[in-house]
Amino acid sequence: MTTFGKRVAKLREEKKLSQGELGKIAGVGQSTIAQIEKGRNKSTRKIIELAEALDTTPNYLINGVIDLSIAPASSEIGSYTEKDVDNPDMGAYVKIPYYDISLSAGIGNATWIVRDNPERLLFRESWLQSRRLNEATLKAMYVRGESMEPLLYNMDTILLDISDVDIVDGCIYAIIFKGKLYIKELRNTEDGIDIISYHPDYEPMHVTQETYDQFQVLGKMVWRGG
């Protein structure tokens, strides 16, 4: 598994930059780049500038997470510890925690629990506003399993809007069905709702009138990274 420092070094070498040249572009000293590449610095307050200098995203440098096709541009998204975020020079950002979901018996009993994780997804306020997203209704979580490959892989990160629960055919949602949590594509049908996996080894499930009371939409996926 690569580290923050190794990712920086690899991308710097691919761009044929010296440590000093990269530092100058990112606005840090050569010694800072050297410390990062040696693994002695796990982060930097210039993470956005460093990512832009390397033509990548802060999320990739820090976590090795690649922002996928519906992600914003590199300057719009990242994942940082609290000490990185508390920097007024970074502009207007919104921090989104990672959550787990606790299920108890019966429908409607899904509880969002903040993960014991110092990292936060970080979005520019302007990006949220352009997509009419409200930070109060956004939850970040990890994908589990392989049923949505090749769209989503195990431990990919997704961002959910829990205020958006009206089903739009072909969109991805977090749902509860028969007491289990799923991340699936949903499609309305004449007699119910199809719950669709992308991996060919997983058969579609179907919500009927008889099983509708065991079905609940928790939120719509509005961003993904893997």
Side-chain angles (χ1 to χ4, degrees):
M1 179 181 296
T2 61
T3 63
F4 173 43
K6 289 180 179 178
R7 286 189 287 272
V8 169
K10 180 176 182 294
L11 292 174
R12 176 182 62 79
E13 291 167 0
E14 288 176 354
K15 292 182 70 66
K16 296 180 170 52
L17 294 172
S18 68
Q19 291 179 342
E21 289 169 335
L22 175 59
K24 185 175 182 179
I25 296 170
V28 300
Q30 181 272 334
S31 61
T32 298
I33 301 298
Q35 293 295 312
I36 288 172
E37 293 187 359
K38 290 177 181 177
R40 295 174 183 170
N41 282 8
K42 304 298 183 182
S43 62
T44 171
R45 292 187 184 279
K46 291 287 189 177
I47 187 66
I48 292 177
E49 291 84 353
L50 185 59
E52 290 178 345
L54 293 170
D55 292 327
T56 187
T57 67
N59 212 19
Y60 176 73
L61 290 183
I62 296 294
N63 296 323
V65 174
I66 299 172
D67 300 320
L68 300 176
S69 59
I70 61 173
S74 62
S75 61
E76 304 290 341
I77 176 72
S79 186
Y80 306 83
T81 61
E82 289 291 331
K83 68 183 180 68
D84 293 317
V85 172
D86 296 332
N87 180 0
D89 295 333
M90 295 178 70
Y93 281 81
V94 173
K95 298 175 287 185
I96 308 295
Y98 286 84
Y99 286 81
D100 285 324
I101 297 177
S102 175
L103 300 180
S104 55
I107 192 66
N109 292 318
T111 303
W112 292 94
I113 302 172
V114 178
R115 289 178 62 90
D116 184 18
N117 184 342
E119 293 176 350
R120 302 287 187 269
L121 283 176
L122 190 69
F123 292 85
R124 286 192 189 275
E125 284 185 347
S126 59
W127 185 82
L128 298 183
Q129 292 167 358
S130 69
R131 288 152 179 81
R132 299 181 181 178
L133 298 173
N134 182 349
E135 64 175 292
T137 63
L138 298 176
K139 310 285 188 184
M141 65 183 299
Y142 292 111
V143 174
R144 305 287 186 175
E146 61 179 18
S147 67
M148 290 299 287
E149 293 181 6
L151 177 70
L152 298 171
Y153 288 84
N154 187 47
M155 296 306 293
D156 277 358
T157 297
I158 62 173
L159 187 67
L160 298 172
D161 182 357
I162 63 171
S163 70
D164 193 347
V165 295
D166 293 331
I167 297 173
V168 176
D169 288 349
C171 290
I172 308 299
Y173 297 84
I175 64 170
I176 300 171
F177 187 51
K178 296 183 178 180
K180 293 184 179 181
L181 172 68
Y182 299 98
I183 309 296
K184 301 288 185 183
E185 178 184 322
L186 299 181
R187 290 187 179 273
N188 293 291
T189 67
E190 291 184 359
D191 60 346
I193 301 166
D194 281 340
I195 302 173
I196 300 170
S197 298
Y198 284 11
H199 196 291
D201 290 347
Y202 292 81
E203 295 292 332
M205 295 180 285
H206 190 67
V207 183
T208 63
Q209 195 169 30
E210 291 73 25
T211 59
Y212 191 79
D213 62 350
Q214 301 177 62
F215 172 78
Q216 179 184 2
V217 178
L218 298 178
K220 180 182 177 182
M221 185 181 78
V222 295
W223 175 88
R224 61 189 175 103

